Amino acid sequence: MSTLDLLHHFTAEDGPVAMRMHGAVRRAWSQGGIDCVRDDFVSDGASCLFIRFRPTAAASVHRLDLGGQHVLRRCDALGGWLVEPAADDGSIFWMPEAPMLRVLDAFGRITAESSAPLADLAIGEAGASAAFAVPDGHVLDWAVWRLAPAGGGAASKDWHREFEAALAIERQPFFIYASHTATRCAADFYRHLVHGSVYGACWAWPKKRKICDELDALALHMIASALGRSTGKRVYDLLRRQIVLAVLCRQEADGGFRHGEWTDEYESHNRLINGAVQLIASELELAPEPPLVDALRRAVHYISEQADPTSHGAWFLHDSLERSEDGMRHYPLAWERGTWLGKSPTNLLILNTHLDCMLSLARYRTVSGDEAHRDLFHSAEQALRAVLSARPAEWLFGPLLSMIALSLLPKAEQERLPFFKRALKRLGWKYVIPRWHLIRRRFPRLLMPAGYIERSLGQADFVHRYHGVHLMDFERLLASKSVNAADPQWTTISDGLVDFGVRSRVSLHWKESAASKDSLAFWAEGLYRRCLRTHASRDHELLASAVLDLHDAGLGLPPALLGINAEALAAGMATATPSAAYAHLHVINLCDRDGPCFMVVNTADFASPLAFEGVASSPWPQFADGEPPLAARGWTVLRPSTGTAPIDRISSSTNSSVS
């Protein structure tokens, strides 16, 4: 049996420094079958220790010892468990998740995991200890925080206050972009934070393994940033900075990140890397320092090289497999070769990744002032214009898309279709959709009649699940300073995407489908971005309906709706999102350069009074007794009033859908 002295490993200076930033240091070391990663936040009196036990010839059972008298209890506010000292002057230990047994491959991807069975537990006057057996071929992972006691100097924090209670906003679910899961408390971050790296919390298709994922890191970073502002709790600031350390330490020498989501070639996926770009850019705006400047520059340089020079401009690739015929032999989906517009045969012309890479270049230019990639951005914009201007065979695609759209209706509406439309629907899913890529190979186009946009030219599929992603990305493009926000080509595309989404009722189809319901989150974020641009009452109503659909589908709000996405609004201009006093009231932060503005959606089937709590609620006093409650599944938009009333309710509705 090997024994690890927890206090010693929280104070040892033996480990080499893996990353140093202002107020944060990461160390990593290994000894005797035990791997440790420790993040120290000295000015906050806090440290987090990631422990990994490996079975060795000498020991397959490992014990953790913690000296002194302690009490173990559940942490209902933030999740996990607290080990509290008997005396008031001792450190608090927070264990967000129970220890996990995992099987790792050669690249560190998780191929299996399960809860670690406890071999022994002892808590007494001499101290506390826990022992675990680690089977061959497994590792045991555990993360433990040590929080310094109050009264330890000006920088010490009263950590008891942070863990005793939670506001309603801390207990609400928030959507995680790549995993399509949700966090519901601070402890849920450690379903992603594994031994100092950020992983996806789902078994990635098609190999069914968990991979490191910077897009999930971006979502967690935004959630931690928003909750820190809303609650004033330092623990969220620590989580945010820990995520930054995790991302920076995973960056490779060429500036990129590798994932191996699909193959054993350990390929990279550019949309995930763009998540790292957005995360680092946001952190750089908050606290500029050299490691962030260097990491952002290298990541954007890597992205800038992932482009195919078509005859109309640069087109960004989706992943590293597209760079060669050899790589595409490992591609997990059916695909079509083609040289349309002078592209390379292996370039699948995937729209959402191209847009996302453009936006990474635009964000880098805004944050850094570096014009190095300006010409590349304009080249990519010209390629985008060329691709979306191609509209051959309108006479053919209009009827075909109308036929396919019948399969996008909710099931109940499909069953009520008259006979001839049911026959058309059958023709659509049985004959048209399987040949959709072949038709588009003959008549190449992405932008379809009625506003629908296909995701790719090369993938052999009809991919309606990306309709919300396209709306989100085009609204992001319109909000960037690198294009003209009044450009009719881009605004017309956004209008068409919304109109098709409403007319086709595809969001209700997503809501019914376990395989597609994550699309609701991107649709909601697209509508949110659109509300920031248009301030239109119809867009407000569509956004409220999307929030209700997300709630009904059991998903959380996309974190951007907390108003903390610095791509949309610079960090220095952001306003904290207040916490409604009731968990069934969801607050969407619509603040912009014109000042505070919040939408409140009542997801309950009963009317609810409007009330707010916590640090960020000060602009929103309790409503008077005579103020009408928010109707069941209703919504309202609030702005501070310039008149005698403290708050203006400028719009409200009880509709749950818009047609």
Side-chain angles (χ1 to χ4, degrees), residues 262-273:
W262 290 346
T263 76
D264 289 326
E265 306 304 302
Y266 205 47
E267 79 283 353
S268 62
H269 290 258
N270 293 330
R271 182 126 197 174
L272 305 189
I273 300 174

Side-chain angles (χ1 to χ4, degrees), residues 48-362:
C48 180
L49 181 65
F50 294 97
I51 306 162
R52 172 165 285 171
F53 291 122
R54 299 179 182 273
T56 65
S60 61
V61 176
H62 297 271
R63 180 181 296 278
L64 286 88
D65 280 346
L66 176 62
Q69 289 186 305
H70 295 85
V71 176
L72 175 68
R73 69 176 179 88
R74 283 284 305 181
C75 179
D76 293 328
L78 300 186
W81 294 264
L82 293 173
V83 177
E84 299 180 312
D88 292 337
D89 59 352
S91 294
I92 296 173
F93 295 86
W94 179 43
M95 299 170 290
E97 290 274 307
M100 296 293 293
L101 289 174
R102 294 188 169 98
V103 179
L104 308 175
D105 68 10
F107 295 109
R109 297 171 297 193
I110 301 168
T111 60
E113 68 180 5
S114 59
S115 298
L118 187 66
D120 183 44
L121 175 67
I123 300 178
E125 293 185 2
S129 67
F132 301 90
V134 184
D136 288 341
H138 291 69
V139 298
L140 183 143
D141 289 326
W142 206 1
V144 182
W145 278 89
R146 180 181 184 238
L147 307 167
S156 184
K157 308 297 177 185
D158 181 6
W159 293 110
H160 282 92
R161 179 189 66 82
E162 302 244 345
F163 289 89
E164 282 176 353
L167 300 179
I169 195 171
E170 297 178 79
R171 300 188 296 271
Q172 289 176 334
F174 297 105
F175 184 77
I176 304 298
Y177 290 123
S179 293
H180 304 161
T181 55
T183 63
R184 288 175 169 80
C185 64
D188 285 352
F189 279 51
Y190 290 86
R191 295 177 183 173
H192 298 267
L193 278 160
V194 175
H195 200 63
S197 296
V198 178
Y199 281 75
C202 65
W203 298 102
W205 178 91
K207 300 292 187 178
K208 303 299 181 184
R209 53 199 176 196
K210 293 187 177 182
I211 63 166
C212 289
D213 194 319
E214 293 74 43
L215 193 54
D216 277 7
L218 173 63
L220 295 169
H221 184 269
M222 291 167 62
I223 296 166
S225 300
L227 294 181
R229 286 174 176 258
S230 295
T231 66
K233 291 184 177 181
R234 297 293 296 171
V235 66
Y236 294 112
D237 181 60
L238 296 175
L239 290 172
R240 189 197 89 239
R241 288 190 284 163
Q242 183 171 66
I243 291 162
V244 175
L245 288 174
V247 169
L248 295 187
C249 286
R250 219 182 80 76
Q251 189 176 29
E252 298 188 13
D254 62 358
F257 299 78
R258 303 302 189 276
H259 307 97
E261 180 178 7
W262 290 346
T263 76
D264 289 326
E265 306 304 302
Y266 205 47
E267 79 283 353
S268 62
H269 290 258
N270 293 330
R271 182 126 197 174
L272 305 189
I273 300 174
N274 291 331
V277 170
Q278 297 291 347
L279 184 156
I280 297 167
S282 296
E283 192 67 20
L284 184 59
E285 286 187 309
L286 285 174
E289 53 182 306
L292 295 170
V293 174
D294 178 64
L296 181 61
R297 177 188 57 79
R298 291 190 296 119
V300 172
H301 176 73
Y302 179 87
I303 286 297
S304 72
E305 295 186 324
Q306 310 307 307
D308 176 33
T310 75
S311 58
H312 287 71
W315 189 274
F316 290 105
L317 303 176
H318 177 267
D319 56 73
S320 57
L321 298 178
E322 284 183 276
R323 298 189 68 86
S324 68
E325 290 276 356
D326 182 64
M328 291 303 287
R329 279 195 282 272
H330 302 278
Y331 199 74
L333 295 166
W335 62 282
E336 292 284 331
R337 288 173 176 81
T339 57
W340 183 52
L341 301 182
K343 74 177 186 68
S344 67
T346 57
N347 175 2
L348 300 183
L349 216 72
I350 294 178
L351 176 62
N352 65 296
T353 306
H354 178 70
L355 282 165
D356 201 41
C357 290
M358 288 178 61
L359 289 160
S360 284
L361 298 188

Side-chain angles (χ1 to χ4, degrees), residues 473-480 483-485 487 490-491 494 533:
D473 285 344
F474 273 104
E475 284 296 333
R476 291 172 63 203
L477 183 68
L478 284 165
S480 76
V483 301
N484 178 7
D487 189 324
W490 306 141
T491 56
S494 177
R533 179 173 64 89

Side-chain angles (χ1 to χ4, degrees), residues 405-416:
L406 294 172
S407 295
L408 302 182
L409 293 170
K411 290 180 181 178
E413 291 191 29
Q414 291 185 31
E415 292 171 356
R416 292 196 299 267

Side-chain angles (χ1 to χ4, degrees), residues 347-556:
N347 175 2
L348 300 183
L349 216 72
I350 294 178
L351 176 62
N352 65 296
T353 306
H354 178 70
L355 282 165
D356 201 41
C357 290
M358 288 178 61
L359 289 160
S360 284
L361 298 188
R363 184 77 188 283
Y364 174 71
R365 182 183 179 189
T366 299
V367 170
S368 69
D370 187 350
E371 299 284 346
H373 305 294
R374 180 183 60 181
D375 291 344
L376 178 59
F377 179 92
H378 291 312
S379 175
E381 185 181 7
Q382 290 307 309
L384 181 65
R385 288 186 188 277
V387 168
L388 294 178
S389 296
R391 304 178 190 182
E394 195 85 1
W395 58 270
L396 174 64
F397 282 104
L400 291 182
L401 189 63
S402 296
M403 193 181 299
I404 292 173
L406 294 172
S407 295
L408 302 182
L409 293 170
K411 290 180 181 178
E413 291 191 29
Q414 291 185 31
E415 292 171 356
R416 292 196 299 267
L417 290 173
F419 173 77
F420 79 95
K421 285 193 174 183
R422 290 203 306 274
L424 288 175
K425 180 174 73 73
R426 180 179 177 83
L427 287 172
W429 67 258
K430 191 170 183 179
Y431 298 104
V432 177
I433 290 178
R435 293 165 177 79
W436 185 242
H437 63 290
L438 301 176
I439 299 168
R440 291 190 301 114
R441 183 175 64 182
R442 173 67 179 83
F443 303 105
R445 65 185 289 174
L446 292 186
L447 182 58
M448 298 292 158
Y452 177 75
I453 302 181
E454 190 52 82
R455 183 198 184 202
S456 166
L457 189 68
Q459 285 186 335
D461 203 356
F462 173 77
V463 193
H464 63 84
R465 292 180 58 243
Y466 280 81
H467 191 76
V469 175
H470 292 154
L471 176 62
M472 177 182 74
D473 285 344
F474 273 104
E475 284 296 333
R476 291 172 63 203
L477 183 68
L478 284 165
S480 76
K481 296 179 181 179
S482 297
V483 301
N484 178 7
D487 189 324
Q489 182 169 11
W490 306 141
T491 56
T492 299
I493 285 174
S494 177
D495 292 344
L497 288 164
V498 172
D499 290 345
F500 181 84
V502 172
R503 286 197 313 273
S504 68
R505 300 176 67 78
V506 67
S507 61
L508 298 182
H509 176 78
W510 296 333
K511 189 174 172 180
E512 294 177 339
S513 169
S516 301
K517 67 178 182 178
D518 57 278
S519 305
L520 294 168
F522 300 108
W523 174 247
E525 182 158 340
L527 292 168
Y528 166 78
R529 294 295 193 109
R530 189 174 164 89
C531 285
L532 294 178
R533 179 173 64 89
T534 68
H535 307 287
S537 57
R538 178 177 183 258
D539 291 330
H540 285 149
E541 190 166 2
L542 288 169
L543 175 57
S545 177
V547 170
L548 290 170
D549 285 341
L550 279 171
H551 169 77
D552 295 345
L555 296 175

